[in-house]
Amino acid sequence: MYNGIGLQTARGSGTNGYAQSNKFFVKPRSTSGGGPGGPHRPLRSDAAGADGGGTRKPNKEILEHDRKRQVELKLLVLRDALEEHGYTEDEIEERVAVARKAAEAEAAAAAEEAGSGRGAG
């Protein structure tokens, strides 16, 4: 045992008794320390939450990628259903192409509506 840390004896523990600190443990910050920088460091203007809200704006590229993934998921489900119903490959491609245009237009309109709704508030 070293400074009250570790085992009294290593016998029967299945270890060698060597105790080490967890360097990846992040201690929770106290609110009395003056913010993220501590009591003596000023808050950076680009720090998350500097505007008082504490939340960051979502990345537009990530939102766009997620929207495209949702569209492709719907098209994959449609393709699978059409294959089960016995449509030919050409018919499936044609129907999926039409559905892709409709789904992308619908998703773009929904993204545009959500963007304008967020900006007004």
Side-chain angles (χ1 to χ4, degrees):
M1 181 158 64
Y2 179 72
N3 283 344
I5 301 170
L7 306 169
Q8 293 287 339
T9 178
R11 292 183 66 183
S13 67
T15 68
N16 63 0
Y18 181 74
Q20 58 186 2
S21 64
N22 182 355
K23 304 226 186 287
F24 294 98
F25 177 71
V26 179
K27 294 180 182 176
R29 296 181 187 176
S30 66
T31 56
S32 62
H40 302 292
R41 291 176 57 192
L43 182 64
R44 293 183 359 215
S45 62
D46 64 339
D51 58 351
T55 58
R56 295 169 40 183
K57 294 180 182 177
N59 189 337
K60 291 179 183 178
E61 293 174 355
I62 293 175
L63 293 175
E64 179 70 17
H65 179 73
D66 191 44
R67 182 186 65 81
K68 288 179 181 178
R69 284 184 63 226
Q70 295 298 324
V71 168
E72 290 300 321
L73 177 64
K74 289 178 184 177
L75 295 175
L76 190 61
V77 169
L78 174 66
R79 176 181 291 275
D80 197 32
L82 292 175
E83 286 175 357
E84 286 181 7
H85 283 47
Y87 286 95
T88 65
E89 193 65 32
D90 292 333
E91 290 175 327
I92 292 172
E93 290 295 327
E94 183 180 323
R95 289 179 184 236
V96 168
V98 170
R100 176 175 278 120
K101 286 182 182 178
E104 286 178 352
E106 178 183 324
E112 196 173 292
E113 180 181 307
S116 65
R118 231 183 261 135

